[in-house]
Amino acid sequence: MKNTQQEIMKTALLLFPNNGIKKTSIDLISKKCGISKKTFYQYFIDKEDIVKKITTIELTKVEKYIENLASEYNNPPDELLIFFNFIQNNISVFTSVFINDIIEYYPKVYQIVIKSKKDKFTPFLLLNIVRGIQDGFYWETLKPKLLVDLYMLQIDTIIENTRKEFSDKREILNCTNMLFLHGIIDTSRKEKL
């Protein structure tokens, strides 16, 4: 029984990021899984239910990674680089079309995304920057809260933007992350790195 639910979620996870949530019907998900709509509804109340579960699972993966990351690395720049690489390689569900559909059609689910950013991502980045300043890795003159707010705004803009020239989100995200990291590292203290 649990396998059918996982198969439905796996299929939706493949369809939603490319087609969008709105354009992916329950009929299509069911057909791709080789099940009836009735079977779909045995596991999910409606489309919002599956969107909420997928979003929650994907965000939980990142949140758990963040919790473990701080205990593994003593070097804030390394910690941030590892985090950036993880994000770039593990948030494929959060495409522009997926996020924009959540914003427009599933505001309760979008609140989960906002809460995760506020409760997990932002504190992680803020703590990393504060530690990096204290440990002499990052510029002393940085304003951590402002820097985190600017970074999150850039990331939101990249993820939510649907313009064709931003089609390679992964590469743009990588470039943004590297610019951010290189901009905060205090290069006058190379002996630390």
Side-chain angles (χ1 to χ4, degrees):
M1 201 157 183
K2 196 75 161 158
N3 289 340
T4 303
Q5 183 180 30
Q6 289 171 343
E7 188 61 34
I8 295 168
M9 289 179 64
K10 185 175 160 184
T11 301
L13 194 55
L14 293 172
L15 295 170
F16 287 157
N18 297 320
N19 303 345
I21 301 164
K22 183 171 175 35
K23 291 182 180 176
T24 303
S25 67
I26 292 171
D27 283 332
L28 179 61
I29 296 168
S30 300
K31 182 179 176 185
K32 292 278 187 185
C33 288
I35 61 170
S36 68
K37 271 176 72 171
K38 183 179 177 185
T39 302
F40 176 93
Y41 286 114
Q42 288 176 347
Y43 296 97
F44 303 98
I45 299 166
D46 54 17
K47 197 191 295 187
E48 183 169 7
D49 186 33
I50 192 170
V51 170
K52 181 179 178 183
K53 286 179 179 164
I54 287 172
T55 302
T56 302
I57 288 168
E58 293 302 307
L59 288 172
T60 300
K61 285 180 197 174
V62 178
E63 290 170 1
K64 285 182 181 177
Y65 188 79
I66 288 172
E67 288 170 11
N68 294 329
L69 193 60
S71 62
E72 290 182 34
Y73 294 92
N74 293 329
N75 177 321
D78 286 346
E79 178 185 271
L80 206 52
L81 184 61
I82 297 296
F83 171 72
F84 287 158
N85 286 333
F86 177 82
I87 292 297
Q88 287 164 213
N89 294 318
N90 290 283
I91 61 163
S92 58
V93 68
F94 296 109
T95 61
S96 298
V97 68
F98 184 86
I99 290 293
N100 288 322
D101 278 359
I102 288 177
I103 291 169
E104 189 169 347
Y105 304 107
Y106 303 99
K108 290 179 184 172
V109 177
Y110 188 59
Q111 289 306 310
I112 295 169
V113 174
I114 291 171
K115 183 172 176 14
S116 181
K117 285 178 6 184
K118 180 178 171 262
D119 294 348
K120 299 292 182 176
F121 292 93
T122 300
F124 166 76
L125 289 170
L126 195 55
L127 182 61
N128 178 278
I129 293 168
V130 168
R131 277 186 32 241
I133 293 169
Q134 290 170 348
D135 295 350
F137 288 101
Y138 301 155
W139 296 103
E140 293 175 359
T141 56
L142 293 176
K143 294 182 176 14
K145 176 73 172 100
L146 178 61
L147 195 59
V148 169
D149 289 346
L150 287 171
Y151 175 77
M152 295 305 284
L153 182 61
Q154 286 177 320
I155 297 307
D156 287 346
T157 301
I158 292 166
I159 291 173
E160 293 171 18
N161 195 311
T162 56
R163 291 176 25 203
K164 289 205 188 275
E165 55 269 26
F166 283 168
S167 60
D168 191 357
K169 301 277 189 207
R170 204 167 174 191
E171 190 60 33
I172 294 168
L173 189 57
N174 180 50
C175 185
T176 301
N177 288 339
M178 291 304 99
L179 284 170
F180 179 81
L181 186 58
H182 289 285
I184 64 175
I185 292 177
D186 184 348
T187 55
S188 68
R189 300 181 178 192
K190 289 183 182 173
E191 71 281 352
K192 282 267 197 195
L193 300 172

